[in-house]
Amino acid sequence: MSVLNASRTPALARVGAPALPRVSTSVAVAAMSAISLAPGLLPRSAVLQGVFSGLLVAAGLLAMWAFSAVARRLVSDRVKARFDEHHWRISALGLSTAAAAIAVFAASSWQNSLRAAMGAPSAGLLHWAEAGCIAALTALGLWGIGVGISKALRWMGFARSVGALVMGVLGVQLVVGPVVWNGLADSFDKSNAYIDTALTQPLSASVSGSPESLISWTSMGAEGRKFVAAGEDSVRVYAGLDSAPDAASRAALAVSELDRVGGFARNSVVVAVPTGSGWIDTHAVDGIEQRFGGDVAIVGQQYSDAPSWATFLFSRDEAEDSATALFTAIGTHIASMPTEERPDLFLYGQSLGAVGGSAALMEKSPTTACDVLWAGPPAGATRTEGATVLANTSDPVVWWSPALATQKPDLSRAVQDAPIPQWIPGVTFLQTTADMLGSLGVPAGHGHRYGTDQGTALRTCS
């Protein structure tokens, strides 16, 4: 009997060959690799693709490990032994390898079609080799950390593991989280306070930011100083976070300054709602100046020094309150002017600025905007009825929302600038989330980058 059993033992096993991966492992790696390589919206670097694939593979291995742990308790030993026999492992490994290779080939073709549409060089073999190495290192590193934690929990036992978990959660919530956030907040404050010596402070008393200005040069913030310093033909006014203590007082100060420098004497006034860090796109400003031939005043008001994603997640109401305060204050002042002297009023916002501007329109203003323009409005967070909308089909901001996991995106207001991927439940949400990281790394007219049409597309008052 022993001789018979030995004769049925696989030759590879007898010579001490490396153990083949379990069937569940092969399936998890292949499935998550295919999901990570599904069609996305934007070209990806090897690093981004590798890290994204590695994260999903590690998550798939963890999920399969948890599933197997439950299955081992429910399935008999005989069934488990037959399912995990050597030939099944070989078959699973072969099929999974073939599936992964097909996924890489399809991803390469898709990525190159995106790159061609956006004027980028195609991704060759080296790109995918780098992505594969980074993915493997990421997945193995995370899996190793997971195995280490699992062993530590088994060593500590159930009671001590629960205690350690509770202490870890409390530590993150009460200590680590606040320390990290405070560190980020400090870095945001320093970036906002940084004074670029390459910028020249305006000296003319009739220009905002000059020594005679109601809004000091230093209080405008880094983005406000860039915006004001670049002004030539148009009147530019910007109230920074440090210009006044709250949104209402900053808006009142902006109105007073706009009046002082003659902004309301221009033919048009554009309220430009900035993004989270206070940034107003220079392409938009150039387009506005082209649209009105320089006979325009542009006014902005900062509501945060944090990036848009942080503001959108944690303090979106600040953007809405700030835009509402400024738009209402400007509209009130225009309404108080003699009819024949009133300038045309316009409202513009990009990304989070569109969200804030949309909230401003919800409040009744004494002056109606001639036109409203949103560039790259976040999906489901902006009222687009009656507005001029600029949206690229390759812009992940236009796609992304929690609803994307179960519903197709509404691209009826978007202009196709690149191949559009097929919507796949769950998968498209993951792909779009990854693409958010590279949304600004493309030329204007693609992704979340828009050109001078942000201004030139503003419609004329009826």
Side-chain angles (χ1 to χ4, degrees):
M1 180 67 69
S2 59
V3 174
L4 179 61
N5 288 340
S7 65
R8 295 173 60 182
T9 302
L12 289 175
R14 292 199 303 269
V15 298
L20 291 171
R22 293 180 181 274
V23 172
S24 58
T25 299
S26 296
V27 171
V29 171
M32 300 311 286
S33 295
I35 290 175
S36 72
L37 293 169
L41 298 173
L42 296 171
R44 288 188 190 157
S45 66
V47 174
L48 177 56
Q49 182 63 65
V51 171
F52 179 57
S53 296
L55 285 171
L56 289 191
V57 168
L61 290 173
L62 176 62
M64 190 61 74
W65 173 80
F67 173 79
S68 299
V70 174
R72 279 195 295 268
R73 297 177 179 273
L74 302 177
V75 179
S76 66
D77 292 340
R78 178 176 297 180
V79 173
K80 288 186 292 185
R82 289 184 59 84
F83 184 73
D84 212 33
E85 286 182 353
H86 188 76
H87 67 276
W88 285 113
R89 293 195 181 196
I90 293 177
S91 299
L93 179 60
L95 291 173
S96 297
T97 301
I102 292 173
V104 171
F105 178 80
S108 177
S109 177
W110 178 262
Q111 280 285 304
N112 285 337
S113 68
L114 292 176
R115 289 167 181 265
M118 300 182 190
S122 61
L125 182 60
L126 180 60
H127 171 91
W128 294 105
E130 291 176 353
C133 291
I134 293 171
L137 291 173
T138 302
L140 290 173
L142 291 174
W143 181 249
I145 293 173
V147 170
I149 293 175
S150 175
K151 290 182 177 179
L153 293 177
R154 284 200 299 268
W155 175 77
M156 289 189 296
F158 179 76
R160 285 186 293 180
S161 296
V162 172
L165 179 62
V166 172
M167 292 298 294
V169 171
L170 291 176
V172 170
Q173 183 176 359
L174 300 178
V175 180
V176 178
V179 168
V180 172
W181 179 251
N182 289 336
L184 289 174
D186 288 342
S187 69
F188 300 152
D189 291 342
K190 290 179 181 178
S191 296
N192 187 57
Y194 173 72
I195 298 179
D196 187 352
T197 55
L199 298 177
T200 301
Q201 179 183 1
L203 298 178
S204 173
S206 62
V207 179
S208 186
S210 65
E212 291 81 7
S213 174
L214 299 177
I215 303 176
S216 69
W217 176 250
T218 56
S219 74
M220 289 181 174
E223 295 298 340
R225 287 187 286 272
K226 292 177 185 177
F227 169 71
V228 170
E232 293 182 1
D233 297 330
S234 62
V235 171
R236 301 189 186 190
V237 169
Y238 190 97
L241 280 176
D242 298 329
S243 299
D246 53 55
S249 56
R250 284 193 288 272
L253 183 60
V255 170
S256 298
E257 177 69 355
L258 193 62
D259 188 40
R260 186 190 74 83
V261 298
F264 291 106
R266 296 294 177 112
N267 186 62
S268 302
V269 173
V270 177
V271 176
V273 186
T275 61
S277 60
W279 177 66
I280 297 177
D281 193 343
T282 55
H283 291 297
V285 178
D286 291 342
I288 291 171
E289 291 182 339
Q290 292 175 29
R291 165 69 177 80
F292 298 104
D295 189 14
V296 62
I298 309 171
V299 55
Q301 177 172 306
Q302 187 179 18
Y303 50 83
S304 172
D305 56 12
S308 289
W309 65 266
T311 307
F312 184 81
L313 291 176
F314 303 113
S315 52
R316 175 174 156 181
D317 56 334
E318 293 179 0
E320 297 174 346
D321 293 344
S322 177
T324 300
L326 181 60
F327 185 69
T328 302
I330 296 291
T332 300
H333 184 90
I334 292 176
S336 69
M337 298 171 62
T339 303
E340 65 278 5
E341 297 179 6
R342 295 175 184 174
D344 296 333
L345 179 62
F346 296 85
L347 180 61
Y348 157 78
Q350 184 190 80
S351 193
L352 185 55
V355 176
S358 180
L361 293 178
M362 298 293 289
E363 299 293 328
K364 187 174 182 179
S365 173
T367 303
T368 303
C370 293
D371 191 23
V372 173
L373 190 148
W374 307 140
T382 309
R383 292 172 58 89
T384 58
E385 295 82 3
T388 299
V389 177
L390 299 179
N392 300 322
T393 56
S394 66
D395 185 354
V397 175
V398 173
W399 286 61
W400 193 94
S401 75
L404 183 61
T406 57
Q407 299 175 13
K408 292 183 178 181
D410 179 10
L411 301 177
S412 59
R413 305 292 292 272
V415 175
Q416 183 172 351
D417 63 288
I420 302 175
Q422 176 68 38
W423 176 76
I424 305 173
V427 176
T428 300
F429 175 80
L430 293 174
Q431 287 291 336
T432 305
T433 301
D435 283 329
M436 293 278 279
L437 298 174
S439 61
L440 294 175
V442 290
H446 302 288
H448 198 51
R449 293 182 64 88
Y450 296 86
T452 56
D453 51 349
Q454 293 175 90
T456 57
L458 281 168
R459 296 173 293 193
T460 305
C461 277
S462 57

